[in-house]
Amino acid sequence: MSTLEIRNLHASVETPEGTKQILKGVDLTIKSGETHAIMGPNGSGKSTLAYSLAGHPKYEITEGSVLLDGEDVLEMSVDERAKAGLFLAMQYPVEVPGVSVSNFLRTAKTAIDGEAPKLRTWVKDVKASMEQLRMDPAFNERGVNEGFSGGEKKRHEILQMELLSPKIAILDETDSGLDVDALRIVSEGVNRVKENTGLGVMLITHYTRILNYITPDFVHVFVDGKIAEEGGPELAERLEAEGYDRFLASA
Amino acid sequence: MTLTDHSKAVLDGSHSHGASVGGGEFVPESSRAARLTSFDPEAFGVPTGREEEWRFAALKDLKPLFGAAEGDAVAPWSVSDLPAGVTLEEIDRDAFVAGAAREPGDLLGAVAVAHASGIARLSVAPSTVVDEPITVTVKGSGEDVRHAMSVEVGENAEATVIVDRAGTATVGEFVSVVLGQNASLNLVLLQQWDDDAVHGGEVVASLGKDARLRGSVVTLGGKAVRLNSTVTLAGEGSSVDLFGLYFADQGQHFEHQVFVDHAAPNARSRVTYKGALAGASARTVWIGDVLIRKAAEGTDTYELNRNLVLTEGARADSVPNLEIETGEIEGAGHASATGRFDEEQTFYLRSRGISEEMARRLVVRGFFADLVHEIGVPSVEESLLKAIDIELEHVNELESADD
């Protein structure tokens, strides 16, 4: 049982026009097995929240705290956060030319576990997960995200999530740019991992479509750097019908 | 994908220079073809650093190579057992000059021949196909030498020659490579010198009709290394692939110049050089000249140089030049880019639990991977990957010393 506690989180970014405050006091608690949808208009700071939690150097945390099972996440380096059990599925996964997927996956697994995985089970696990995500075995020999389509990149993110078994996963617009078939495959992957490992999920999305496949326990509306409203799945339905206008008008 | 500000390729063009086709500011002579070549050292002035071919050079370190060697050391090299059809013999200067692919293009090459302590000729008889690489091992122990070597591959013959250099020495050399009709040579030059070696070399090659040359230059060690390669595509349908891989640390200055002279129709050339730099005073220079002469219709050429700057303060100069005298070509292009270590790649790998040190290793190995596999000699490829890892360990030591 794990808990991610985000308290009064403030973060800023340096821009040519000066320091810009993006997160303005985020409060959120995610426990194992829970799925929290974070929904909000473009530019509200959803992705900044994701990258700040993962420790991207571009964002400076100016106030607040983040604890994972009581451990101070903000004191950890990027790789320490991953080892502690945080996983970020990125909206735009980065290409790493010349580094094969199989080498990358094995290196990451070894780093997370502190020891190399047993070869036989590892090969089997990778194969099974790739099959479930409808990924051709040829992906193993390709460069990480190199020349992958948008859908292939997202499936590769979920593949990593399944193999690295984090405690809490942040999915940053994993649904954007996916057609319905790919969306279903990716969503099934997330549900499978949740069921098998009790993963806690922060599902960041702009659209309600993915919520037809992954049912959230909580929905949070994110506006202007903080959570403006919280509710159950019914809140998503209301957003589907009304859009974000009423939040933007008051923002 | 330019939709996000979270991931963008960082390309720093500040040390790259664009093409100067048709006489840009960096091409004082009217044509690359007009540059002086001679076996007479007197024909060349002593470089001042203002000349086009010397302006990025480590002149201070290379200066001893502008004159005869001190003492009478001979080149510290040995050759693997020669297969049937391959001969190695000592030849005199006149024979060397008469058979050379081309005259030296600068003082260094001319001095290497004029003051050579020995001149060797390695010949592969026509129609001989040698499967195993012929390895020339150079193990320096402080010698100061000038020397010259000729490699001749006869008609329809095929061979691989590896020159593996280590230890320390002060070396000025000139190597002539002549490929007969339909001959094929894979020439691998490994510079894995100790950190105080000084090496100035010039390799000139001439390709007969349908001949194929694959030339790889790998420079990982030495204080100052300048290795210039000139290939004349003299025969119709000839083809050359030149690969270069270099990794300069603090205090190292590696310069590689390439000149591909398309003199015959329907010839093909590919030049791919990649370098990594680490340490404040690490310095690399790449100059790639391609000349497509009027006669060279149907030419297909592409040259690429990429540099990866791993730490602050290192400097990579990259100058591609393309000169075209006929419009009847198949294709001609070049690209040059010098980039910093990509923080987004590091972040991505680290967000999967991979340490910064390992992330850097993966990215740099990835950067060089395709190039290493082009060398075409498995034993060399394997030892190179190890050597690159050792270079990276030095970078990590540098980094932790800075902290």
Side-chain angles (χ1 to χ4, degrees), chain B residues 287-302:
Chain B
I287 301 176
D289 294 338
V290 173
L291 168 63
I292 302 171
R293 292 182 193 261
K294 199 154 180 19
E297 292 185 357
T299 288
D300 177 8
T301 176
Y302 194 84

Side-chain angles (χ1 to χ4, degrees), chain B residues 248-265:
Chain B
D249 289 333
Q250 190 130 14
Q252 295 183 315
H253 186 133
F254 298 158
E255 175 176 16
H256 299 95
Q257 296 192 23
V258 175
F259 174 35
V260 177
D261 188 348
H262 276 271

Side-chain angles (χ1 to χ4, degrees), chain B residues 119-250:
Chain B
I119 301 181
R121 179 165 65 199
L122 182 74
S123 316
V124 181
S127 301
T128 305
V129 176
V130 185
D131 293 328
E132 286 300 303
I134 301 159
T135 304
V136 178
T137 305
V138 180
K139 177 75 180 139
S141 44
E143 296 86 349
D144 184 8
V145 288
R146 309 291 169 269
H147 81 109
M149 184 171 180
S150 164
V151 178
E152 294 179 6
V153 183
E155 256 185 52
N156 297 314
E158 291 180 22
T160 294
V161 175
I162 301 170
V163 182
D164 188 359
R165 315 176 220 250
T168 189
T170 299
V171 178
E173 71 173 356
F174 184 79
V175 178
S176 162
V177 176
V178 177
L179 302 195
Q181 190 166 325
N182 200 36
S184 170
L185 175 66
N186 184 2
L187 178 64
V188 181
L189 306 176
L190 303 173
Q191 289 64 245
Q192 310 207 61
W193 297 109
D194 291 346
D195 285 348
D196 53 351
V198 173
H199 174 197
E202 183 176 1
V203 181
V204 297
S206 177
L207 275 59
K209 186 173 187 302
D210 297 325
R212 301 167 304 281
L213 172 65
R214 172 173 289 254
S216 298
V217 165
V218 177
T219 304
L220 301 177
K223 183 169 195 286
V225 174
R226 171 179 158 108
L227 195 47
N228 296 352
S229 306
T230 296
V231 176
T232 306
L233 294 158
E236 181 166 5
S238 53
S239 173
V240 62
D241 290 275
L242 298 177
F243 302 101
L245 186 162
Y246 46 92
F247 196 139
D249 289 333
Q250 190 130 14

Side-chain angles (χ1 to χ4, degrees), chain A residues 59 79 88 95 157 160, chain B residues 4-6 345 348 350 352:
Chain A
Y59 303 100
D79 42 306
L88 169 63
E95 297 191 6
E157 295 292 282
Q160 294 166 47
Chain B
T4 182
D5 55 1
H6 293 302
Q345 290 180 341
Y348 186 76
R350 292 186 70 194
R352 272 50 174 152

Side-chain angles (χ1 to χ4, degrees), chain A residues 61-118:
Chain A
I61 307 297
T62 52
E63 211 183 323
S65 67
V66 179
L67 300 179
L68 178 61
D69 297 333
E71 300 287 325
D72 187 350
V73 170
L74 299 179
E75 283 297 307
M76 299 177 192
S77 67
V78 177
D79 42 306
E80 283 167 353
R81 294 178 197 208
K83 285 185 206 163
L86 279 183
F87 181 86
L88 169 63
M90 297 190 197
Q91 185 178 1
Y92 301 110
V94 181
E95 297 191 6
V96 191
V99 178
S100 72
V101 166
S102 67
N103 183 17
F104 163 64
L105 293 175
R106 200 175 50 246
T107 305
K109 183 66 175 172
T110 304
I112 297 268
D113 289 0
E115 58 177 0
K118 290 211 167 47

